[in-house]
Each structure stands twice: as C-alpha cells, then as structure tokens.
Amino acid sequence: MSGFTIEVQHTPETISAMSYVQYSATHGRKKAVQVLTAAVCLLLGTHLIGDIRAPFHYLFSAYGCFALLFLNLPAKWRAEKIVKGIQASGRGFPCSIFRFEEEGFRVTAKGFDGPGEFYAYSGCHRLVEHRSGLYYFIGPEAAFLFPPQSLSGGQAAVLKAFLEAHTGLRFTRLQQGLNASLRSLLHTRRNTRSAA
C-alpha cells in the first residue's frame, strides 16, 4: 500500500497538541511522580493521612494544588512560543506533504518541488496514538503528527496498519499520570526503538 500521500495543515491547535504529546511522551514517568507527590501532599494537607500541624498543612495543600495545576505548563509555554513566532513571521502555519514509500517516507512543504527529507521506517523511535491523532516519533522528543482532519474516511486505520507493518513497532496509547500502569509502561518500552 506504499505510494499514498497525506497532507497535514498545521494550526495553533495541532501545534499545541504536538507540544503536549511530545512533552508527555518524553516526561511520562516524571509526570506520574509529580501527580503522585501532589496527591500525597494534598492528603497530608487536608489531614486525610498523617497529622501535619498548622500552618505547615497549608504548605502541603498549596504545593499539591500548584503541582497539579502546572503539570503541563512547559508544553503550554513551548506551544505558545512557537505559535507566536509563526504568527509574527507573517508566513502562515506550515503545510506538509507526506509521501509514503516502501522503505520510508518523504516530507516536503506544500508547493515545494524538491525531493524533501527522507525518513526510513527502520529509524522510527516510537508510534503513539492520542485523541489528537497518530504520532510518528523520529527521536525521543521529535514527532510528526497526522491529525484526524488529515485522515479522511478509513485512512487512519490504513496508515496505522501500514506504519506498524513497516516499522515493526506497535502504536501505544499515551498514558497519563496515575493511569500509567506497570503493564502499559512495559508495553510502551517494548514498542520503543532505542536511538542508534
């Protein structure tokens, strides 16, 4: 099924989603520890466990709240910076054309006639599925997004099966916070290719 093409038009929403998924995929364990620490601090601060005396219980409660509120703040800041940079440039949001071949795929900017950048399937780091689309990671922190609006009809299922067959990896769902069970973390580890 090689030879098909997908066009991805980026928007502030796709850039925000990419920033969130890339940050979560890279810092998943750190975020899980942060959520667990925040939960323990909230339980201590509200006297549901332990007996922390005033005024220290307020500090535990405050830390727990702030740790949860700012869980994805680095991803949000990065997305806002990128969006502002694109808007300031006046060139509009990028549109990429992906041409899938048997050994890899080529990426070009829409309207560009050159051969573009080639990415071999053997170099795929990880495949991630999220409500915002399918992610093809070319490294631990860099990924291409194929959002639902770029995959009409049954194209999402076709692309997913194609990439799994050609990379030898399986798509994993992005696990968040305390939802990251031991089984899902092991599944993700098995379906992540180490950098060469």
Side-chain angles (χ1 to χ4, degrees):
M1 183 79 191
S2 59
F4 63 97
T5 301
I6 293 174
E7 180 178 313
V8 176
Q9 173 62 60
H10 282 290
T11 64
E13 292 74 27
T14 62
I15 289 169
S16 179
M18 283 181 69
S19 182
Y20 169 78
V21 169
Q22 289 173 340
Y23 179 75
S24 295
T26 306
H27 298 91
R29 289 189 187 114
K30 177 182 170 186
K31 286 178 66 176
V33 169
Q34 189 173 346
V35 169
L36 185 60
T37 304
V40 169
C41 285
L42 284 171
L43 291 171
L44 286 167
T46 56
H47 301 290
L48 291 174
I49 60 171
D51 186 23
I52 306 294
R53 303 217 179 267
F56 297 108
H57 73 284
Y58 294 117
L59 296 174
F60 280 91
S61 296
Y63 174 80
C65 290
F66 283 117
L68 292 176
L69 283 172
F70 298 124
L71 192 61
N72 295 309
L73 199 59
K76 183 180 177 191
W77 282 343
R78 182 172 62 179
E80 287 174 354
K81 182 178 178 183
I82 293 169
V83 168
K84 284 178 183 172
I86 292 170
Q87 290 171 336
S89 74
R91 290 181 289 200
F93 287 87
C95 183
S96 300
I97 308 295
F98 295 83
R99 292 181 178 84
F100 293 88
E101 302 169 5
E102 200 54 39
E103 298 298 320
F105 61 90
R106 295 190 180 278
V107 185
T108 56
K110 187 174 183 179
F112 180 72
D113 291 333
E117 293 289 325
F118 181 78
Y119 295 91
Y121 301 124
S122 60
C124 178
H125 177 70
R126 184 177 177 190
L127 299 171
V128 172
E129 188 174 7
H130 184 256
R131 66 178 177 272
S132 58
L134 301 176
Y135 289 80
Y136 183 104
F137 276 77
I138 58 174
E141 296 191 40
F144 291 113
L145 164 63
F146 303 102
Q149 59 268 28
S150 298
L151 303 169
S152 57
Q155 216 174 9
V158 170
L159 179 62
K160 187 176 174 182
F162 178 86
L163 290 176
E164 286 184 341
H166 284 73
T167 63
L169 300 173
R170 296 285 169 256
F171 274 91
T172 55
R173 282 213 155 269
L174 184 64
Q175 300 299 321
Q176 303 173 45
L178 297 176
N179 270 345
S181 66
L182 180 59
R183 185 177 178 187
S184 65
L185 285 172
L186 289 173
H187 181 66
T188 298
R189 189 181 179 100
R190 278 198 311 270
N191 285 291
T192 301
R193 185 174 284 126
S194 297

